[in-house]
């Protein structure tokens, strides 16, 4: 596979074309951003950790029958993915109250829900990724009703598998964000990444965070938290 020109550079990744039109080459960066880019830093090793963790998780989900854009990990910081057009909807699933939900509704941080909560956010940096509902998605023509139902169903299915996966390594899956894209045939595939950048992960015994909150709120060393997750998942450290 040959790496060609850079197609897109985001906050955490660079995406390159390859000699195959349906395959893209992703490079994970060490840049860390929070609060829609207001807080920034370069954290050595973060790109490697997210690439490794996301590769392990997408591979485990594939074994459970959940298809994603992930093809293979190429190196410590690179992976190959199927080309999709990202649907500009961030799908957040919450099992335990934290983050913006606590701020918005005044719930108690740490409250466990009987049923997971699914939320949609409009993926738009200028607007600050606002919360949206299914009516907004319909009016804005971002996805069909069937697609929205499928996003929700797939997100809940991923949640079931991730809860189990993290339970085995003594980690509570608090919440996470997923992105989806349409492939060339229009099929909706799980995309982007699943890593401590996009999930809240708490040690089930101590409640310690192993995720991006370490950086967001200066709670501790981000790389140490991510290394713990990678090591517990059985990946290289
Ligand atoms: O900030 P909030 O509580 O809404 O985040 C919910 C979950 O979604 C967290 O795990 C957070 O890391 C993730 N998220 C994300 N990218 C965003 C917004 C939230 O990965 N743009």
């Amino acid at each position: 596979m040959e790496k060609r020109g850079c197609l897109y550079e985001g906050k955490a990744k660079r995406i390159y074309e390859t000699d195959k039109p349906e395959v893209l080459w992703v490079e994970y960066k060490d840049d860390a951003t929070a609060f829609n880019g207001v807080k920034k830093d370069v954290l050595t090793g973060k790109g490697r950790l997210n690439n490794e963790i996301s590769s392990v998780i997408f591979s485990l989900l594939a074994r459970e029958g959940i298809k994603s854009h992930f093809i293979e990990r190429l190196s410590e910081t690179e992976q190959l993915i199927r080309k999709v057009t990202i649907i500009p909807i961030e799908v957040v699933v919450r099992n335990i109250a934290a983050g913006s939900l606590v701020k918005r509704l005044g719930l108690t941080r740490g409250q466990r829900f009987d049923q997971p909560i699914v939320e949609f956010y409009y993926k738009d940096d200028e607007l600050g990724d606002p919360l949206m509902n299914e009516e907004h998605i319909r009016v804005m023509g971002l996805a069909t009703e069937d697609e929205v139902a499928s996003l929700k169903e797939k997100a809940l299915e991923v949640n079931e598998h991730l809860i189990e996966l993290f339970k085995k390594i003594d980690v509570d899956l608090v919440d996470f964000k997923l992105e989806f894209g349409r492939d060339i045939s229009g099929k909706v595939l799980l995309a982007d990444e699943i890593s401590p950048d996009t999930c809240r992960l708490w040690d089930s015994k101590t409640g310690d965070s192993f995720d991006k909150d370490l950086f967001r709120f200066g709670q501790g060393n981000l790389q140490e938290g991510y290394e713990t997750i990678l090591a517990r998942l059985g990946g290289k450290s």
Side-chain angles (χ1 to χ4, degrees):
M1 185 75 51
E2 194 185 306
K3 186 178 176 184
R4 299 243 166 112
C6 185
L7 198 64
Y8 164 83
E9 176 158 3
K11 284 178 248 176
K13 295 185 271 293
R14 269 183 222 99
I15 300 187
Y16 298 85
E17 285 182 306
T18 68
D19 49 323
K20 279 195 179 175
E22 71 280 14
V23 177
L24 298 176
W25 187 300
V26 183
E27 206 176 85
Y28 279 67
K29 306 196 297 183
D30 282 344
D31 300 57
T33 60
F35 311 117
N36 202 20
V38 172
K39 184 169 178 174
K40 285 185 209 165
D41 208 344
V42 176
L43 302 175
T44 308
K46 176 176 166 291
R48 172 182 63 84
L49 289 159
N50 280 342
N51 181 49
E52 303 274 14
I53 293 169
S54 202
S55 298
V56 169
I57 292 178
F58 277 139
S59 304
L60 289 169
L61 286 176
R63 269 189 245 159
E64 301 291 342
I66 297 188
K67 292 202 181 85
S68 74
H69 71 165
F70 178 76
I71 300 173
E72 64 171 321
R73 174 191 162 283
L74 290 175
S75 73
E76 284 191 344
T77 55
E78 296 164 299
Q79 56 180 252
L80 287 182
I81 58 167
R82 285 174 196 90
K83 186 174 188 168
V84 294
T85 307
I86 292 289
I87 299 171
I89 301 171
E90 298 190 342
V91 185
V92 168
V93 181
R94 300 180 187 272
N95 298 304
I96 299 174
S100 70
L101 184 68
V102 166
K103 215 171 161 188
R104 187 180 311 114
L105 299 180
L107 300 185
T108 306
R109 185 175 182 274
Q111 179 190 335
R112 286 169 191 266
F113 306 128
D114 296 341
Q115 303 274 334
I117 295 173
V118 180
E119 297 172 343
F120 301 112
Y121 291 83
Y122 182 32
K123 186 175 155 65
D124 185 305
D125 282 343
E126 273 183 34
L127 296 175
D129 300 340
L131 182 67
M132 70 192 323
N133 66 24
E134 294 178 32
E135 314 289 308
H136 300 130
I137 294 173
R138 180 175 53 80
V139 165
M140 293 168 76
L142 300 179
T144 65
E145 257 176 62
D146 284 352
E147 281 177 334
V148 173
S150 143
L151 296 187
K152 203 166 171 175
E153 194 184 318
K154 284 183 188 180
L156 287 170
E157 207 183 326
V158 170
N159 187 41
E160 291 295 316
H161 291 298
L162 292 186
I163 288 175
E164 281 310 307
L165 169 67
F166 285 114
K167 198 190 266 178
K168 284 186 199 147
I169 60 167
D170 292 325
V171 168
D172 285 337
L173 176 64
V174 176
D175 55 33
F176 60 95
K177 183 257 319 182
L178 298 179
E179 292 186 26
F180 294 86
R182 299 183 188 95
D183 71 7
I184 294 164
S185 69
K187 204 172 86 179
V188 173
L189 277 185
L190 178 60
D192 194 47
E193 68 180 276
I194 301 180
S195 73
D197 261 14
T198 62
C199 303
R200 276 196 181 90
L201 303 167
W202 293 352
D203 186 287
S204 28
K205 295 196 180 87
T206 64
D208 288 347
S209 292
F210 296 132
D211 55 63
K212 199 165 149 185
D213 278 351
L214 291 166
F215 170 71
R216 286 191 190 102
F217 305 110
Q219 289 172 346
N221 184 290
L222 176 137
Q223 292 96 319
E224 274 175 28
Y226 288 26
E227 288 283 6
T228 303
I229 292 297
L230 180 61
R232 288 197 196 177
L233 283 172
K236 281 173 286 160
S237 176

